Amino acid sequence: MASAAEGPKKYAFRVPEKQVKTVMDMVRWEKSEAYYDLLGFISSMCVALQGTRQTQQVELSPVLQKVSDALKRFEQLAIETPPVDQPARFGNQAYRTWFQKMQDESLALIEGALPEGLKDAAPEVNVYLVESFGNATRIDYGTGHEMSFVMFLMCLFKIGAIERKEEVAVGLRIFNQYLNFVRKLQVTYRMEPAGSHGVWSLDDFQFVPFIWGSAQLAVNSPIEPAQFVEDKIIDERRKEFMFVSCIDYIRQVKTGHFAEHSNQLWSISAVPSWSKICTGLIKMYQKEVLSKFPVIQHVFFGSILTLEFVKPGTALPNPRLGMIPRAPMAAPPAPPKFAPEEPK
């Protein structure tokens, strides 16, 4: 992804559309620029988030601050739209009222967040944001909606609204703020898990925070993988690490033994290292989310994220974890030159 300093690619912005119409279109999706860009962004964020903690101080650029403000505004709208009394246990109808309010305000908020020269991107970028909070018809939420928010963030990087050096702020603040907010939506409006009871997620609703959360722990982790299911560790570390906060959330909303209601996560605790957990989760994400037509049929494609084929031979991005990338070292000084000795 090009940063603003490198001169981002020029786009003919347009409102994106759904283009994966049949199962046959999945072949094109898995060879598309958008597919490779998405995995590249997830991998790049993994590398950037290694060794970080949710509690560390990060500064938000003006663009990210306004994105954060937009999320706060959406949360305020939810506070102003309490659930209604209804016979049905799940899918509170008030969600649809909230969704319409959010949709009515989102475009102006995103246009205000984008820097001068990129305002024209707002209608395209805004579609990914609106789609990231769930479906107003079914009143459900799943990994496809989560993916839409990841694509929204990716679009901000690709058009040059934010720079690569802001990846940590995006992960620790913006994505975490989004995650906490959609959890509130899920609980407040009793949203259904999208798909067959959340089959394409790790906790009924989410997947990516487990990927980025395990990447955080790939360097200088104070806990071993086998410890993340221990109540003492969860209580001590839930505010520091995204992965542990996800486990804490599961502990709050589910009852019974962890191995029974979250078997996949339970099996992950046996993996020896966090870097292996992270790379394994990315492969699982490709198989359980990115290769599923019921998820990808709802993805939008425009000028920023396209279904154009990648160049033949392009390798799928894969994060190298376990060490913090260092700044390039200066070239070593040339060895001194000695004048030849005078003949005696």
Side-chain angles (χ1 to χ4, degrees), residues 226-335:
Q227 295 179 293
F228 75 73
V229 294
E230 298 175 11
D231 287 339
K232 181 174 180 289
I233 294 297
I234 297 170
D235 291 336
E236 289 176 354
R237 303 294 183 177
R238 62 188 177 188
K239 293 182 180 178
E240 290 182 286
F241 299 107
M242 192 182 301
F243 193 99
V244 182
S245 77
C246 289
I247 302 301
D248 180 51
Y249 182 67
I250 293 172
R251 188 176 64 163
Q252 292 175 40
V253 299
K254 294 194 175 185
T255 57
H257 195 276
F258 194 89
E260 295 175 359
H261 59 63
S262 302
N263 184 260
Q264 281 186 312
L265 287 168
W266 177 262
S267 64
I268 286 172
S269 67
V271 178
S273 74
W274 286 107
S275 58
K276 286 186 177 180
I277 288 175
C278 183
T279 53
L281 285 176
I282 291 175
K283 290 176 183 175
M284 188 188 297
Y285 187 68
Q286 289 175 251
K287 181 180 177 182
E288 302 298 334
V289 179
L290 299 187
S291 68
K292 303 298 184 186
F293 173 71
V295 176
I296 305 305
Q297 67 177 332
H298 299 296
V299 174
F300 286 79
F301 301 92
S303 70
I304 307 170
L305 303 179
T306 80
L307 274 181
E308 296 296 321
F309 286 110
V310 292
K311 294 178 181 177
T314 303
L316 270 175
N318 196 28
R320 298 181 63 185
L321 302 173
M323 64 179 75
I324 302 290
R326 295 183 179 180
M329 295 180 63

Side-chain angles (χ1 to χ4, degrees), residues 161-233:
I162 53 179
E163 300 181 38
R164 284 286 295 275
K165 65 183 180 182
E166 298 176 79
E167 285 178 326
V168 171
V170 165
L172 298 188
R173 290 296 173 270
I174 303 301
F175 186 75
N176 200 51
Q177 183 182 354
Y178 162 79
L179 182 60
N180 289 329
F181 175 47
V182 292
R183 284 172 177 163
K184 290 177 183 177
L185 291 177
Q186 293 156 15
V187 172
T188 300
Y189 299 118
R190 301 302 302 271
M191 300 179 74
E192 294 266 28
S196 303
H197 306 291
V199 69
W200 299 303
S201 66
L202 286 171
D203 67 352
D204 289 347
F205 293 106
Q206 315 296 157
F207 203 119
V208 172
F210 292 95
I211 297 175
W212 288 346
S214 57
Q216 273 187 296
L217 293 159
V219 168
N220 300 327
S221 173
I223 62 173
E224 296 297 324
Q227 295 179 293
F228 75 73
V229 294
E230 298 175 11
D231 287 339
K232 181 174 180 289
I233 294 297

Side-chain angles (χ1 to χ4, degrees), residues 19-29 293 296-297:
Q19 295 180 23
V20 177
K21 306 289 188 181
T22 70
V23 174
M24 298 300 292
D25 293 332
M26 291 295 290
V27 176
R28 185 176 178 188
W29 152 246
F293 173 71
I296 305 305
Q297 67 177 332

Side-chain angles (χ1 to χ4, degrees), residues 18 29 41 85 152 285 291:
K18 296 176 182 179
W29 152 246
F41 177 59
D85 291 331
F152 164 71
Y285 187 68
S291 68

